[in-house]
């Protein structure tokens, strides 16, 4: 095989990459597998989005290249929604970047801002696209552990000055995957101020902005004074509208930052399928009437999952946002061992905390993406395994 580039060797294996094969084997053996691994709900997309997609595929103009512009109506719908939802204005044509899912944009952004010798600051555990973009840009990742005693916030003050001096990007994600933590406004103000002082690009991953409970309303980073000069924010239809497979998202930023991402993308993709963008318009327009019902389903699942996993020996906090429980494990049980045995012995897929970086050790992630009955069944199986493993340690 021809030689691989050295940067390729720096990529770790992707979390859960081994799971689909093992799951297939178990299913073939007749095991009743409950997959709570990915943040990918078993719920339908909004009917308005499905109808719009069906209409759009009959329109031959939708089958053409979208190019960087994409469907103008999609840009306009994003801009209108950002104004309605966060009270912030973005020009549809110079400040909105349509994406093939937000992961794509997050990963490609680093190509514009990171090179050899540059550092990015990455929360750990965290979404792996931050690390992937950094490594493919031949930058160096400086990871900051997210720990419960610090409310899972990335504290810049503990980072050595020489690292901050070389830092080009700070990745933040609140509501957070995997910890479900949320960021208080004073914290966001502090971070924006520091990024301005240090001239660091603040990449704000807001994929879970619309999955929030108990009256909590996640903000946009652009609600914070001064963010305009340093921030880019990523959004996605995936979680809000149960449209993970449709691959549709966007970024917003002021023109120079938006243009940098857009330019990278002109060399690597030619735009999302415009029929999907047309469905995106319908989804965004259905936000006010459709999203609350969907959130209510997630809230019911959250409540079922929190009580069932707590009763099974995993006392976790009740998340105010996102679709994850961050479940603690006894210190003597490694999260990867626990997750592997949970799949092999009980047919339940969860994500070990260590798969999202060593800072995630001591926890596993449960996505509450299935019915309350299935979540209760999964929790009971996890509790059984915990008892067995504790017995083995005694
Ligand atoms: C924190 C976070 N950001 C971004 C994404 C990417 O979502 P998508 O590429 O589907 O828009 C995910 C998906 O799991 C995520 O958890």
């Amino acid at each position: 095989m021809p030689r691989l580039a050295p940067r390729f060797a720096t990529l770790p294996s992707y979390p859960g990459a081994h799971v689909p094969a093992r799951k297939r084997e178990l299913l073939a053996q007749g095991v009743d597998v409950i997959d709570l691994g990915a943040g990918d709900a078993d719920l339908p997309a909004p009917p308005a989005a499905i109808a719009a997609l069906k209409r759009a595929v009959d329109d031959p103009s939708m089958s053409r290249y979208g190019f960087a512009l994409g469907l103008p109506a999609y840009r306009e719908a994003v801009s209108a929604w950002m104004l309605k939802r966060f009270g912030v204005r973005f020009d549809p044509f110079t400040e909105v970047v349509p994406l093939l899912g937000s992961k794509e944009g997050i990963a490609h952004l680093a190509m514009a801002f990171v090179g050899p010798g540059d550092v990015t600051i990455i929360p750990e555990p965290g979404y792996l696209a931050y690390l992937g973009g950094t490594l493919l840009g031949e930058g160096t990742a400086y990871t900051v552990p997210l720990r419960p005693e610090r409310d899972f916030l990335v504290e810049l003050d503990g980072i050595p000055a020489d690292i901050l001096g070389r830092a080009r990007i700070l990745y933040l994600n609140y509501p957070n995957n995997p910890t479900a933590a949320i960021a208080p406004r004073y914290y966001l103000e502090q971070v924006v101020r520091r990024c301005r002082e240090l001239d660091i690009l603040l990449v704000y991953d807001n994929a879970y902005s619309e999955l929030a409970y108990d009256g909590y309303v996640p903000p946009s980073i652009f609600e914070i004074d001064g963010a305009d000069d340093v921030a880019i924010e990523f959004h996605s239809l995936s979680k809000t509208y149960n449209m993970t497979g449709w691959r549709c998202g966007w970024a917003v930023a002021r023109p120079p930052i938006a243009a940098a991402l857009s330019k990278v993308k002109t060399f690597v993709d030619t735009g999302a399928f415009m029929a999907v963008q047309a469905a995106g318009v319908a989804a965004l327009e259905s936000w006010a009437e459709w999203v609350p019902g969907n959130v209510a389903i997630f809230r019911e699942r959250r409540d079922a999952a929190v009580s069932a996993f707590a009763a099974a020996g995993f006392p976790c906090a009740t998340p105010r946002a996102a679709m994850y429980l961050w479940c603690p494990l006894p210190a003597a049980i490694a999260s990867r061992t626990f997750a592997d045995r949970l799949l092999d012995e009980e047919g339940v897929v969860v994500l070990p905390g260590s798969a999202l970086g060593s800072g995630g050790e001591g926890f596993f992630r449960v996505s509450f993406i299935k019915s309350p009955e299935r979540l209760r069944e999964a929790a009971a199986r996890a509790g059984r395994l915990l008892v067995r493993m504790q017995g083995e340690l005694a």
Side-chain angles (χ1 to χ4, degrees), residues 39 100-104 106 127 130 173 177 205 207-208 235-239 244 247-248 324:
L100 291 86
S102 61
K103 181 181 193 177
E104 172 270 300
I106 292 167
Y127 190 51
Y130 318 142
N173 164 227
N177 170 15
D205 180 354
Y208 297 93
H235 284 269
S236 173
L237 299 186
S238 292
K239 317 291 177 171
T244 49
R247 312 311 304 134
C248 197
Y324 306 111

Side-chain angles (χ1 to χ4, degrees), residues 116-345:
D118 292 337
V119 169
T120 67
I121 301 169
I122 294 182
E124 194 187 76
Y127 190 51
L128 266 288
Y130 318 142
L131 180 65
T134 300
L135 297 176
L136 294 170
E138 301 192 9
T140 304
Y142 182 87
T143 54
V144 179
L146 299 187
R147 303 301 301 175
E149 55 276 17
R150 291 195 189 143
D151 297 331
F152 301 108
L153 298 173
V154 175
E155 298 295 352
L156 293 184
D157 287 344
I159 301 177
D162 65 308
I163 297 288
L164 287 177
R166 288 194 291 138
R168 307 301 314 135
I169 292 183
L170 165 64
Y171 294 97
L172 286 188
N173 164 227
Y174 298 103
N176 183 255
N177 170 15
T179 66
I182 58 178
R185 191 168 282 261
Y186 80 84
Y187 169 79
L188 297 177
E189 286 166 358
Q190 238 171 47
V191 166
V192 166
R193 198 168 53 243
R194 289 296 280 146
C195 285
R196 289 172 63 90
E197 285 163 9
L198 294 160
D199 201 20
I200 295 176
L201 179 67
L202 174 51
V203 174
Y204 199 75
D205 180 354
N206 217 345
Y208 297 93
S209 69
E210 304 317 297
L211 277 184
Y213 317 106
D214 311 329
Y216 175 61
V217 182
S220 162
I221 197 68
F222 286 99
E223 292 175 37
I224 307 297
D225 276 352
D228 275 358
D229 297 330
V230 288
I232 181 166
E233 179 163 292
F234 287 86
H235 284 269
S236 173
L237 299 186
S238 292
K239 317 291 177 171
T240 309
Y241 298 102
N242 308 322
M243 290 170 69
T244 49
W246 298 48
R247 312 311 304 134
C248 197
W250 70 87
V252 285
R254 296 311 170 199
I257 297 174
L261 173 59
S262 200
K263 182 165 183 182
V264 170
K265 284 173 52 60
T266 54
F267 287 87
V268 291
D269 72 72
T270 316
F273 182 22
M274 283 194 289
V276 168
Q277 296 187 48
V281 173
L284 287 166
E285 287 175 350
S286 76
W287 172 74
E289 65 274 17
W290 189 83
V291 169
N294 199 50
V295 170
I297 296 172
F298 274 102
R299 194 185 49 239
E300 193 192 353
R301 292 173 169 203
R302 176 201 68 169
D303 292 344
V306 168
S307 24
F309 276 88
F314 309 99
C316 56
T318 300
R320 292 179 68 195
M323 49 171 74
Y324 306 111
L325 302 189
W326 191 231
C327 295
L329 280 167
I333 298 180
S335 61
R336 174 70 195 255
T337 310
F338 181 79
D340 283 348
R341 288 189 57 180
L342 188 56
L343 178 54
D344 287 343
E345 298 173 27

